Amino acid sequence: METTFDPENITGLSQEEASEILKKEGYNELPSQKKQSLFSILLGVLKEPMLLLLLVAGTIYLFLGEVKDALILLVFVFVVVGITFNQERKTERALEALKNLSSPRALVIRGGEQKRIPGREVVKGDILVLREGDRIPADGVMLSCTNLLVDESLLTGESLAVRKCESTGLSLSLQPGQPGGDDLPFVYSGTLVIQGQGLAQVSSTGIHTEMGKIGKALGTIAEEDSLLKKETAAIIKNFAVFGGILCILVVVVYGLTRGDWLHGLLAGLSLSMALLPEEFSVVLLVFLSMGAWRLSKRDVLVRRMPAIETLGSSTVLCVDKTGTLTQNRMNLSSLYAGNEYCEIGHDRCLLDANFHELLEFGYLASQQDPFDPLEKEIKKSTEKFLPDHEDIHREWKLVREYPLSKNLLALSNVWESHDSRKYVIAAKGAPEAIFELCHLNEAEKEKLMSHVQEMANKGLRLLGVAKASFHDDTLPEIQHDFKFEFVGLLGFVDPVRPSVAQSVKECYTAGIRVIMITGDYPGTAQHIARQIGLKNSDQYITGPEIASMPKEELAEKIKTTNIFARVVPEQKLAIVNALKLNGEVVAMTGDGVNDAPALKSAHIGIAMGERGTDVARESASIVLLNDDFFSIVAAVRLGRRIFDNLKKAIGYIFSVHMPIAGLAVFPILFQLPLVLLPAHIAFLELIIDPACSTVFEAEPEEKNIMNRPPRNLQDRMFGRKNLALSLVQGISMLAGVIVVFLYALYTGKGEVDARTLTFATLVISNLTLIVANLSWSQSLVKTLCSENKAMRYVLAGALSGLLLVLYVPALRSLFRFSLLHGSDLLIVFVVGTLSIVWLRLLKSQIRNNI
């Protein structure tokens, strides 16, 4: 005997029961999802070239008998390790948070309510609600299902989806067998629902699932080598080769000219430390990881890091209307039946019998326990407006469902009516599909389409409703075999999100086109377009026109068309390809199984997190956790900010290494006393590392960030213009410190005094360089007063450190410095700031004169 399950009577586990099971059995995840250990992070930090160079230099000092110098380098090793380790842990925590967000979601019934939870929190005994496009989070047994097809190719290798059936009393006591095969009541973790819906009870989680047994892993954040990463790697390689050659030359020249090979080796190591751009890889990792974390705080989940680079280059945003531009909160506002209209207010009102029947059959064609907002509205409105619930028919029994299909956008529910009709069939769907089910002639269709168009022009989303009765014992296989009678039209309004109009305006200011794609009628789309300020709202292309249009013609027409109506998901791919043919950088939103090809084809695929399917999320680069258009624009803005700040950080790294390297080479070439020792360069690294990876990352966006066109994808991060600016800044700093160095030597000051003055000037120049590179669009004073707390901490720390090594006798002796007097400090601050400020003032003057 079969056991039947009524979804309305299933309560599932309570939250307390689920928490207890989770505590006892652990999370629903596989061993391969372990996070990086503290030891492995520490080991990775200790492999940094800069630390190795410091250790080699310390060893040489020990050979020379300079124990103090060796100890100070050892202290710097520990400090640098601490800073780098902290940055790595910060990045690791950000990535861990992103991985938790990106795990497949699950819709479960707990305490009688449907809840969306992370897949890792599913426990044994949970009731899963499975729908088309869902990734099944755990092994389970089907309690009920309708037309459920599941792709189990991940486990079986078979490409054909398998059909599932409801469990029986016997199968509930059985353990799931091997995946594969039709008409089995078992579902498996990691498999994909292709069609239909159902309820399943979880039988196994984590390593106890079929996937866990064979060691498969799911859904991790993909880390790809992006164009930016490849470009950075090439630059580091070139620097390393050039630095290595120069280092050898310095050692040879020093040894031959001065006869001291050990000190020559120290000079060579100092030059290597000065030239080594080890910050590049750290900066890239920190910026992209922290950028992804910042985006997650805006309800935007980045699944693929290169998408952050591409965000600022988007020239077109293709967005769904429903739920993205609108609130996805359907309100029933208008009815059409018996050649009459009825506008529904918020209060209870009396409706004619024609409208009673329309609500009745709309209700019967809907789910009994709906999750979809539109179906919820139908249920709520019917129960509100039908007096005493006389037409709800709670005693009737649902015996069969005919689901939506690609070829017919309508569904039907067959009810056992317990009267002379035996079976009553209620259908609802797209008006054209309902007309087709009712077998209307062309004249009847044309007449009704005029009413459809009239309601659509008011911005309404429309559903047609039809009814039929059936007396035979055996139900037909398809809906078309029933003799349907047209009942009427339901009109719903989906309010526009308050932030959309301003966001669209912001996109246009930023040089980004906005294209609306919807399954609704052109009139509805145009009405929404006018509300949000979409350009060219009088032009549109429909899905059927796309289907019959050559791709070259579509590519031409799409240049001026921003509204696509009556579009099915498969046609989104044609829209994406047409835009790409025109050289656009396309961001495309999607939520369904059929949206996956378009999301993959677009430069940036954006999946809906709330209503989207897991297969859409897996195909996308970015997931909107709140399905709001404002979040897309915020992501573009933040993407531009990340890229801007990355360019600033890289420019700073280029500039600051030039004077350090120059001071390492200059004295050797002209047989002057050495200025920078390894300890001095290590001190400078304590400023450079947090500056380039923390200060620049935390810098607020430029004022004009959304008032400029998108960045060309082909533009290099280190183009000639940026490289030239960095070179000029670096040469200017180098000239300033060399002038101070020569001034000290030729005014009778000794080697130690010259080194002290030069080093202090270099530190001040470095700090001025940081402030100057943060924002070129505002004054240095405004930059200092900005909200960038990290900058103030680094400036305060660097100045405090400089004062300590200059005025604490023990530290001054360790660094081989002398005491600086007031006149010396004046020289340091004047030269240190002017070496950078003049360039900033010159650029501001040029900009003001243009």
Side-chain angles (χ1 to χ4, degrees):
M1 180 178 176
E2 290 193 1
T3 305
T4 59
F5 298 90
D6 183 358
E8 292 189 352
N9 296 328
I10 293 179
T11 58
L13 300 174
S14 67
Q15 192 59 46
E16 292 74 20
E17 290 172 329
S19 299
E20 188 63 32
I21 296 172
L22 189 65
K23 184 178 179 181
K24 180 182 177 182
E25 299 187 357
Y27 285 108
N28 177 35
E29 57 189 5
L30 302 178
S32 59
Q33 293 172 308
K34 289 180 180 177
K35 61 183 180 181
Q36 194 176 5
S37 67
L38 296 179
F39 177 76
S40 61
I41 293 176
L42 185 61
L43 191 63
V45 171
L46 291 174
K47 290 179 180 177
E48 286 293 325
M50 180 62 70
L51 297 179
L52 296 177
L53 290 174
L54 285 172
L55 290 172
V56 171
T59 304
I60 294 174
Y61 274 123
L62 286 176
F63 274 113
L64 292 172
E66 303 285 352
V67 179
K68 290 182 179 179
D69 290 294
L71 287 175
I72 196 170
L73 286 182
L74 190 61
V75 169
F76 276 125
V77 167
F78 281 112
V79 175
V80 173
V81 166
I83 292 174
T84 311
F85 180 75
N86 180 61
Q87 290 170 344
E88 290 283 346
R89 281 290 295 147
K90 192 176 181 182
T91 300
E92 179 69 16
R93 286 195 295 269
L95 287 174
E96 186 64 27
L98 293 175
K99 287 180 182 178
N100 290 338
L101 280 173
S102 66
S103 69
R105 303 158 307 142
L107 181 60
V108 300
I109 298 176
R110 284 189 180 170
E113 296 182 0
Q114 294 185 4
K115 294 182 177 180
R116 285 201 177 273
I117 62 173
R120 67 195 297 265
E121 295 179 10
V122 169
V123 298
K124 186 176 180 180
D126 260 329
I127 304 299
L128 300 174
V129 181
L130 303 178
R131 295 183 175 175
E132 181 179 313
D134 285 349
R135 182 73 70 180
I136 299 174
D139 289 3
V141 181
M142 295 305 305
L143 303 182
S144 65
C145 62
T146 304
N147 299 324
L148 188 65
L149 291 179
V150 179
D151 178 2
E152 296 182 348
S153 59
L154 186 67
L155 299 175
T156 65
E158 296 294 332
S159 59
L160 291 178
V162 294
R163 185 172 59 250
K164 296 298 176 181
C165 68
E166 296 179 6
S167 60
T168 64
L170 176 62
S171 63
L172 280 175
S173 63
L174 296 176
Q175 290 297 318
Q178 290 297 318
D182 286 322
D183 298 321
L184 294 174
F186 306 114
V187 290
Y188 303 93
S189 175
T191 58
L192 183 67
V193 178
I194 297 298
Q195 181 178 308
Q197 57 190 5
L199 295 177
Q201 186 170 31
V202 175
S203 59
S204 302
T205 60
I207 59 173
H208 304 293
T209 63
E210 285 297 313
M211 177 170 286
K213 291 173 185 176
I214 61 175
K216 297 287 185 180
L218 288 178
T220 57
I221 296 176
E223 304 215 10
E224 305 172 10
D225 281 348
S226 63
L227 292 174
L228 185 58
K229 193 169 184 179
K230 291 175 183 176
E231 188 178 348
T232 306
I235 290 175
I236 292 174
K237 181 180 178 181
N238 292 336
F239 261 83
V241 172
F242 176 72
I245 295 171
L246 203 57
C247 173
I248 293 171
L249 288 175
V250 165
V251 173
V252 172
V253 170
Y254 195 101
L256 292 175
T257 56
R258 307 193 186 192
D260 190 343
W261 290 94
L262 271 179
H263 278 92
L265 185 57
L266 279 175
L269 287 172
S270 298
L271 179 60
S272 295
M273 292 169 64
L275 283 175
L276 184 67
E278 50 94 21
E279 301 92 354
F280 279 141
S281 55
V282 175
V283 163
L284 194 60
L285 177 64
V286 169
F287 268 66
L288 294 184
S289 301
M290 293 303 296
W293 178 77
R294 289 184 188 278
L295 284 169
S296 74
K297 293 297 183 182
R298 303 281 186 93
D299 290 324
V300 178
L301 169 63
V302 179
R303 296 189 70 253
R304 297 182 178 89
M305 293 299 181
I308 296 177
E309 296 177 44
T310 317
L311 271 172
S313 305
S314 303
T315 60
V316 176
L317 293 181
C318 298
V319 295
D320 290 314
K321 177 184 74 68
T322 304
T324 306
L325 299 177
T326 61
Q327 297 178 22
N328 199 22
R329 182 170 55 83
M330 304 305 298
N331 297 330
L332 184 61
S333 64
S334 185
L335 306 175
Y336 170 80
N339 208 28
E340 292 183 6
Y341 292 99
C342 177
E343 300 297 327
I344 295 180
H346 294 290
D347 300 325
R348 181 185 294 275
C349 62
L350 295 177
L351 300 175
D352 293 340
N354 286 336
F355 301 117
H356 278 213
E357 186 180 49
L358 176 59
L359 287 175
E360 173 192 356
F361 280 92
Y363 182 89
L364 291 173
S366 301
Q367 295 177 6
Q368 293 174 285
D369 185 22
F371 181 75
D372 182 84
L374 189 142
E375 302 234 343
K376 281 185 175 180
E377 176 66 12
I378 292 175
K379 181 177 181 179
K380 184 182 74 174
S381 298
T382 304
E383 293 175 350
K384 177 180 179 182
F385 291 112
L386 293 188
D388 303 321
H389 299 181
E390 63 182 17
D391 294 321
I392 294 180
H393 306 297
R394 292 190 184 276
E395 74 281 4
W396 287 8
K397 180 183 176 183
L398 180 64
V399 294
R400 181 161 179 178
E401 297 178 27
Y402 292 89
L404 283 164
S405 67
K406 296 179 184 179
N407 300 322
L408 185 67
L409 298 177
L411 56 85
S412 300
N413 285 345
V414 180
W415 297 88
E416 192 173 339
S417 63
H418 305 298
D419 60 21
S420 59
R421 294 173 292 183
K422 192 169 185 179
Y423 294 120
V424 172
I425 302 93
K428 77 172 189 295
E432 300 100 323
I434 295 298
F435 298 162
E436 185 179 340
L437 279 181
C438 295
H439 304 289
L440 302 179
N441 59 42
E442 291 303 318
E444 290 172 324
K445 287 182 183 178
E446 187 175 342
K447 180 180 178 182
L448 286 173
M449 279 304 297
S450 65
H451 296 294
V452 168
Q453 192 61 49
E454 184 177 344
M455 296 177 74
N457 289 339
K458 297 177 182 178
L460 299 177
R461 181 178 178 182
L462 300 176
L463 283 179
V465 176
K467 65 178 182 178
S469 60
F470 195 74
H471 301 278
D472 294 346
D473 292 330
T474 304
L475 294 171
E477 289 298 317
I478 59 174
Q479 302 177 68
H480 267 294
D481 291 344
F482 294 113
K483 293 182 179 180
F484 280 105
E485 178 186 342
F486 181 72
V487 177
L489 298 169
L490 300 172
F492 302 84
V493 63
D494 186 3
V496 172
R497 292 183 186 266
S499 60
V500 169
Q502 180 58 37
S503 297
V504 170
K505 183 179 179 182
E506 197 171 356
C507 283
Y508 288 142
T509 306
I512 303 171
R513 252 179 91 192
V514 179
I515 290 179
M516 180 202 299
I517 301 173
T518 179
D520 280 339
Y521 287 93
T524 305
Q526 288 179 302
H527 182 82
I528 298 295
R530 286 189 286 269
Q531 283 185 271
I532 65 174
L534 201 69
K535 292 181 179 179
N536 298 335
S537 59
D538 57 326
Q539 300 180 34
Y540 62 84
I541 297 176
T542 64
E545 289 172 343
I546 293 174
S548 61
M549 195 181 293
K551 61 181 181 180
E552 293 79 11
E553 183 182 351
L554 178 60
E556 186 59 35
K557 286 192 174 182
I558 209 171
K559 292 178 180 178
T560 55
T561 304
N562 296 326
I563 298 175
F564 292 84
R566 306 306 286 167
V567 170
V568 296
E570 290 88 342
Q571 292 166 344
K572 287 187 175 183
L573 181 59
I575 294 172
V576 170
N577 290 337
L579 289 166
K580 289 171 72 175
L581 199 62
N582 293 336
E584 305 281 7
V585 179
V586 186
M588 164 69 73
T589 66
D591 57 8
V593 176
N594 294 334
D595 290 330
L599 293 175
K600 280 189 175 182
S601 179
H603 295 93
I604 306 174
I606 304 174
M608 302 295 106
E610 287 186 345
R611 69 181 191 276
T613 58
D614 284 327
V615 71
R617 286 158 59 93
E618 289 170 11
S619 300
S621 306
I622 290 174
V623 179
L624 293 187
L625 300 180
N626 62 358
D627 295 4
D628 192 345
F629 179 72
F630 175 77
S631 295
I632 303 177
V633 181
V636 172
R637 174 187 287 272
L638 196 53
R640 290 189 176 191
R641 169 192 160 180
I642 291 167
F643 199 83
D644 280 356
N645 289 346
L646 192 53
K647 286 175 67 174
K648 293 173 186 175
I650 298 299
Y652 163 75
I653 293 170
F654 265 119
S655 296
V656 79
H657 276 277
M658 290 188 63
I660 299 174
L663 284 178
V665 174
F666 182 78
I668 297 171
L669 294 179
F670 296 96
Q671 295 190 9
L672 298 172
L674 292 181
V675 180
L676 296 180
L677 303 176
H680 302 146
I681 297 175
F683 181 94
L684 291 170
E685 283 296 327
L686 295 183
I687 303 173
I688 296 170
D689 276 354
C692 63
S693 61
T694 304
V695 175
F696 285 97
E697 194 281 326
E699 177 64 6
E701 65 191 40
E702 297 283 353
K703 289 182 179 179
N704 69 336
I705 196 165
M706 294 297 277
N707 293 325
R708 59 178 191 242
R711 176 181 61 88
N712 191 322
L713 264 184
Q714 304 306 317
D715 286 351
R716 295 172 62 86
M717 167 70 79
F718 321 111
R720 293 180 180 178
K721 183 179 178 181
N722 297 326
L723 186 59
L725 178 60
S726 295
L727 287 172
V728 171
Q729 287 183 135
I731 292 170
S732 178
M733 284 180 67
L734 178 59
V737 292
I738 285 179
V739 165
V740 170
F741 179 57
L742 294 176
Y743 160 78
L745 288 177
Y746 292 106
T747 54
K749 296 182 183 290
E751 175 184 334
V752 177
D753 290 334
R755 176 183 296 120
T756 308
L757 268 174
T758 306
F759 180 80
T761 305
L762 181 58
V763 171
I764 299 302
S765 297
N766 186 8
L767 299 181
T768 308
L769 181 68
I770 293 171
V771 177
N773 276 269
L774 283 175
S775 177
W776 286 91
S777 62
Q778 59 185 18
S779 67
L780 292 176
V781 175
K782 286 184 178 179
T783 302
L784 284 168
C785 298
S786 73
E787 59 190 68
N788 193 335
K789 293 181 180 179
M791 172 194 66
R792 292 197 283 272
Y793 290 148
V794 168
L795 293 182
L799 287 173
S800 300
L802 180 62
L803 291 175
L804 286 174
V805 298
L806 290 179
Y807 294 104
V808 174
L811 292 176
R812 188 168 64 239
S813 173
L814 282 174
F815 277 83
R816 301 183 185 183
F817 287 157
S818 62
L819 187 67
L820 289 184
H821 302 289
S823 58
D824 298 325
L825 290 176
L826 182 63
I827 292 172
V828 165
F829 278 96
V830 169
V831 178
T833 53
L834 284 181
S835 63
I836 295 298
V837 169
W838 75 269
L839 183 61
R840 179 68 175 257
L841 295 174
L842 177 63
K843 186 168 182 178
S844 299
Q845 187 66 34
I846 293 172
R847 188 172 62 243
N848 292 334
N849 291 334
I850 293 177

